[in-house]
Amino acid sequence: MKRRVTKAIFPVAGLGTRFLPATKSVPKEIMTLVDRPLIQYAIDEARAAGITEFIFVTSRGKGALEDYFDHAPQLEAALLKSGKTQLLEALRASNMESGAIAYIRQHKAMGLGHAVWCARRLIANDEPFAVILPDDVIAADTPCLQQMIEAYEETGGSMVAAMEVPREKASSYGILDVNSERGNLVSVRGMVEKPKMSEAPSNLAVIGRYILAPDVLNNLNNAQLGAGGEIQLTDAIAKEIEDGRPVHGLRFSGQRFDCGSKAGFLQATVSFALARPELQDEFAAFLRDTVPLLRVAE
Ligand code: UTP
């Protein structure tokens, strides 16, 4: 019987250089889309998928991220006293159960594979686990990780979230070599991290959601430096295929925003603001006034 997936690793130890100077003191994952930090979207998605244990791989300068998950009794009392019940509810919804979160340090940003490997002692030998990159924010009716867990219950093995990208962008992603497809499930026969456009085996890219077999951690024990001189998670998953274990991609339903880039972050901000009933009218009116100005400028 397949084990249930109850643990998720959130690698958040990267330097976040694309958002400097902000990320000199603010962890990227604390930056807010409307009024919620990126990490809150990731946590909510994980919870919806049945995750109960949350492992953060952090680094120097991520103190604000750890503080974010502390309860705030004084703030709660003040909101209660002033009758701000909606805000109180929003605040309480971000509270995490004591002991549900573990923090592990990555001493040096040596790559995503290395970050995941840092959490190896918190995952049992026979335990599948999820990995969520909070800078990929996915708006979906059924949260992306939940879609993956439902598919994983049928396939087992390892599973990555997959999305088509323009060929010229392939060198920014891990790319799937596709064996066969059934519905939105892709059977994978190889994976390559950041290939040159001419060498990309497809235009199906890996997005920051994974369900991984415990063997992937063993593969990371022996990992070599890969693309960009970093230890790549893609290489450790590709090793699963070499060893004859199944790896699938799921073409998830939903819209993905690359909030690790400025353009993606801004697009997500606009999209999430327009989805908020309390902001919709005012913000849509602003956009309606602004877009014609853009056309004139062109
Ligand atoms: P990115 O490739 O976006 O790198 O990492 P980054 O350092 O966060 O940002 P830039 O490129 O300098 O702007 C993808 C994810 O992997 C984590 C990051 O925190 C992010 O969630 N990561 C990356 C680590 O935890 N450790 C690493 O060594 C590298």
Side-chain angles (χ1 to χ4, degrees), residues 147 151 160 162 181-187 204 249-253:
Q147 296 176 38
V160 299
E181 300 210 33
R182 183 166 54 85
N184 51 7
L185 256 189
V186 179
S187 155
L204 258 191
L250 182 75
R251 291 174 181 264
F252 58 93
S253 321

Side-chain angles (χ1 to χ4, degrees), residues 10-20 23 28-29 57-59 62 106 108-116 132-136 172 193-194 230-231 258-261:
F10 299 79
V12 290
L15 299 174
T17 53
R18 282 170 287 174
F19 282 95
L20 281 170
T23 41
K28 177 169 64 172
E29 302 74 24
V57 183
T58 68
S59 60
K62 300 278 179 171
Q106 186 188 27
K108 195 173 165 207
M110 291 169 67
L112 177 58
H114 183 260
V116 169
I132 297 188
L133 306 190
D135 36 13
D136 274 331
S172 303
E193 184 63 30
K194 301 191 171 59
E230 296 191 330
I231 295 179
D258 174 11
C259 291
S261 78

